[in-house]
Amino acid sequence: MSQTQTITHQPEFETLWGHPKPLWMLFMAEFWERFAFYGIRWALTLYIVAQFYAGNASGEGDASRYYGAYLALVYATAIFGGYVADRIIGYQRSILLGAVVMSIGLFMIMVPSLDVFLLGLAVIVVGNGLFKPNISSLVGQLYKQGDDRRDRGFTIFYMGINLGGMLSPLLTGWLASEIFGTPQHQNYKAVFGAAGVGMILSTIWFYIGRKQLKGIGMMPEDKPAGKMLAYVIAGVVVAVPVVYFLMAGMGAQTLAWVLGVLFVIVAGMLLLEGKQNGRIQMHRVCALLLLFGFNVTFWMFFEQAGSSFNFLAQNLVNRDIFADGSFIFPTGWFQSVNSLAIILFAPVISAIWYFTSKRKMEPTIPFKFGLGLLGNALGFLVLMFALTQLVDGNGLIPLWPLVLCYVLQSIGELCLSPIGLSMVTKLAPVRYVGLAMGAWFLSVATGNNLSGILAGEISGETGMTIESALAGFSFSFYLLLGAGIVLLVISPLINKLMHGVK
């Protein structure tokens, strides 16, 4: 029995600022989890090169591939976390167990050993798989079917994600560069420790606040609680070395095939369930899978932020804020630009959707996805301009093109990512909402893994150069532009398959 079947009626929630009160509890739990996630995200590739390659630029390619594989597995394991919540221990216990496991992994990566570091990343991956898809699914379950507040609720939730994502790099970037007054890579243990504390706060916040959910996300009633939880904990212990092997032993290229096969299997399960629920549900699953494909393309290029964009910022951007060199913009602070842009522009984009909806002119979900791809493309166009026209005598580009690239990508993200989370809860078969949310994150995972492979190619064997960056970012622009145009053209067909879902 799935979680959606254990609740016989939709609970009535008190509202706060027009939305169910539990939304704000989930908002803060996600805030602290994202604080932890983004606290280490900006630092991973730079730390790997500094700590394990003695700062040699030849390590950039390996660091990017490790990062891409890690990020891919963070999202790929969501497919299993969604299934565990749907079928075995419920959403609430999955979230709490995942939070505890992630906390352990974040403290493990403080140890300056490559093997322990990668094992710690594997622990984080497994914990995130239990946490991430299920807290998003709970947001969708707060609203009745057809409630037009759902999209706006997910946008608010998305702002919680990005508030944590904005503040975390600012704090951890400062910790790494200033607090001890020593070379930055020696201070990463403070970065990783701060992220671990953030994850502990997320655990405590959700544990205390889960009573507000009024039974949503509880353990399926036909399952023995202790026995099922023990099985899942045993599964976590088995999964960690498997993830370690996929990330450290198998390599990003092989992992791409593994993710592809996994996606085919999950797509088959969703299609079979759709077929059993009739023609309309089958069509909706087909629309879902088509948009998942375009989602892969978006994240393949968007997630250059933690790899090639990091090396661009560190090596090829003039980060001197003042002419006398008295303040150098920390590399980690670039990672806050995306989240700050989300916070600033999310109300604007939400207002646009509301304004157009009232006039029956709101773009369809596929059209919004197409706009997201084009926004991502424009970011790379700015970098192409900078790398061809703005390189100074020291081989550096100004700071502002990279900042503007992040802003344009963020606007594209707002047209796609929160809409995608809401879309899954609307189009997925009722019994497999958690599994479908996991499939959404699996498509993100595939894009993230490809992003690491691409970033590794951009850096090559000798590290990133102006020429290699221009070639890689030009390829990114043209592919995103083409994908965005194709999606805008076929959006009426996909919308027809959705049978009235808005």
Side-chain angles (χ1 to χ4, degrees):
M1 181 182 295
S2 74
Q3 172 59 28
T4 54
Q5 292 172 304
T6 64
I7 303 297
T8 56
H9 65 279
Q10 180 77 18
E12 293 293 333
F13 296 109
E14 293 182 34
T15 60
L16 178 64
W17 296 325
H19 288 271
K21 274 191 175 181
L23 174 66
W24 306 101
M25 181 275 291
L26 297 176
F27 175 101
M28 285 305 301
E30 181 73 349
F31 166 86
W32 284 114
E33 187 273 333
R34 290 291 92 179
F35 179 94
F37 181 82
Y38 284 98
I40 69 169
R41 176 177 177 259
W42 71 267
L44 290 177
T45 52
L46 301 179
Y47 173 68
I48 291 170
V49 172
Q51 182 69 46
F52 305 121
Y53 290 84
N56 194 312
S58 63
E60 290 181 10
D62 285 345
S64 294
R65 285 183 281 269
Y66 277 134
Y67 172 78
Y70 155 75
L71 210 58
L73 289 164
V74 159
Y75 288 101
T77 50
I79 193 70
F80 301 105
Y83 186 82
V84 165
D86 273 338
R87 298 298 196 180
I88 304 177
I89 61 172
Y91 292 88
Q92 292 191 22
R93 290 194 178 202
S94 295
I95 291 167
L96 285 170
L97 178 59
V100 171
V101 172
M102 285 179 70
S103 300
I104 294 170
L106 286 163
F107 289 111
M108 286 179 65
I109 63 174
M110 295 173 67
V111 179
S113 158
L114 181 59
D115 288 336
V116 177
F117 176 80
L118 293 174
L119 187 63
L121 290 182
V123 173
I124 294 170
V125 163
V126 174
N128 194 277
L130 288 167
F131 185 102
K132 183 64 179 170
N134 297 316
I135 197 164
S136 298
S137 294
L138 282 183
V139 173
Q141 293 178 43
L142 297 178
Y143 300 90
K144 295 178 181 179
Q145 288 295 327
D147 190 332
D148 63 4
R149 298 176 301 167
R150 184 183 296 216
D151 276 4
R152 295 192 291 278
F154 270 102
T155 299
I156 291 169
F157 180 69
Y158 209 66
M159 288 180 69
I161 293 174
N162 285 282
L163 188 61
M166 180 192 72
L167 296 177
S168 184
L170 294 177
L171 174 62
T172 56
W174 173 75
L175 284 174
S177 61
E178 298 293 338
I179 192 167
F180 298 120
T182 57
Q184 191 176 68
H185 73 274
Q186 296 180 22
N187 299 332
Y188 282 115
K189 60 184 178 182
V191 172
F192 303 149
V197 171
M199 198 62 238
I200 290 173
L201 290 173
S202 176
T203 308
I204 294 171
W205 187 273
F206 183 81
Y207 181 80
I208 294 173
R210 61 194 175 122
K211 291 180 181 179
Q212 299 178 26
L213 295 169
K214 296 184 177 181
I216 286 182
M218 289 294 289
M219 184 107 173
E221 294 176 358
D222 61 342
K223 304 288 186 182
K227 189 175 182 180
M228 292 297 101
L229 184 60
Y231 283 154
V232 173
I233 293 173
V236 167
V237 173
V238 172
V240 167
V242 173
V243 170
Y244 173 86
F245 171 73
L246 289 172
M247 183 170 52
M250 182 173 288
Q253 286 84 359
T254 307
L255 180 59
W257 288 99
V258 173
L259 293 173
V261 171
L262 185 59
F263 187 83
V264 169
I265 293 171
V266 174
M269 294 174 66
L270 290 172
L271 286 168
L272 182 61
E273 180 69 13
K275 184 178 180 181
Q276 292 175 350
N277 283 274
R279 183 178 65 89
I280 291 177
Q281 184 61 72
M282 179 66 169
H283 285 176
R284 286 175 174 169
V285 170
C286 289
L288 197 65
L289 296 177
L290 280 170
L291 291 172
F292 282 174
F294 285 99
N295 195 46
V296 170
T297 304
F298 180 89
W299 293 104
M300 174 180 175
F301 299 104
F302 183 90
E303 272 304 336
Q304 296 302 305
S307 49
S308 68
F309 284 7
N310 251 353
F311 294 123
L312 179 76
Q314 180 174 258
N315 302 325
L316 300 178
V317 171
N318 182 359
R319 294 183 285 116
D320 289 334
I321 300 300
F322 305 112
D324 61 0
S326 59
F327 180 73
I328 298 176
F329 192 85
T331 302
W333 285 12
F334 282 102
Q335 300 296 313
S336 291
V337 175
N338 167 243
S339 296
L340 177 60
I342 294 292
I343 293 167
L344 292 176
F345 286 100
V348 176
I349 299 297
S350 184
I352 290 172
W353 301 154
Y354 179 76
F355 179 83
T356 53
S357 174
K358 289 301 181 183
R359 287 154 180 78
K360 302 189 183 302
M361 296 169 56
E362 183 176 3
T364 63
I365 290 174
F367 198 89
K368 291 176 182 177
F369 267 56
L371 294 177
L373 289 164
L374 293 180
N376 199 348
L378 287 175
F380 284 98
L381 183 62
V382 171
L383 293 182
M384 289 168 61
F385 172 76
L387 291 166
T388 54
Q389 304 297 324
L390 302 178
V391 180
D392 65 17
N394 296 318
L396 302 176
I397 64 172
L399 182 147
W400 68 262
L402 183 55
V403 172
L404 181 57
C405 173
Y406 275 120
V407 171
L408 291 170
Q409 286 189 320
S410 302
I411 294 172
E413 182 186 0
L414 279 169
C415 292
L416 181 143
S417 193
I419 304 303
L421 292 172
S422 180
M423 170 195 72
V424 171
T425 65
K426 294 175 182 177
L427 293 177
V430 172
R431 288 201 320 136
Y432 282 135
V433 172
L435 183 67
M437 190 65 76
W440 164 262
F441 288 117
L442 181 58
S443 70
V444 176
T446 303
N448 288 339
N449 187 58
L450 293 174
S451 79
I453 295 173
L454 174 61
E457 292 298 317
I458 294 173
S459 288
E461 298 298 323
T462 59
M464 180 182 291
T465 64
I466 292 290
E467 293 75 19
S468 68
L470 178 59
F473 298 157
S474 297
F475 167 78
S476 304
F477 167 71
Y478 288 116
L479 199 148
L480 282 166
L481 178 66
I485 292 172
V486 168
L487 184 50
L488 292 181
V489 170
I490 67 171
S491 63
L493 172 63
I494 298 177
N495 196 54
K496 189 175 181 180
L497 290 172
M498 293 166 63
H499 290 277
V501 169
K502 303 293 185 183

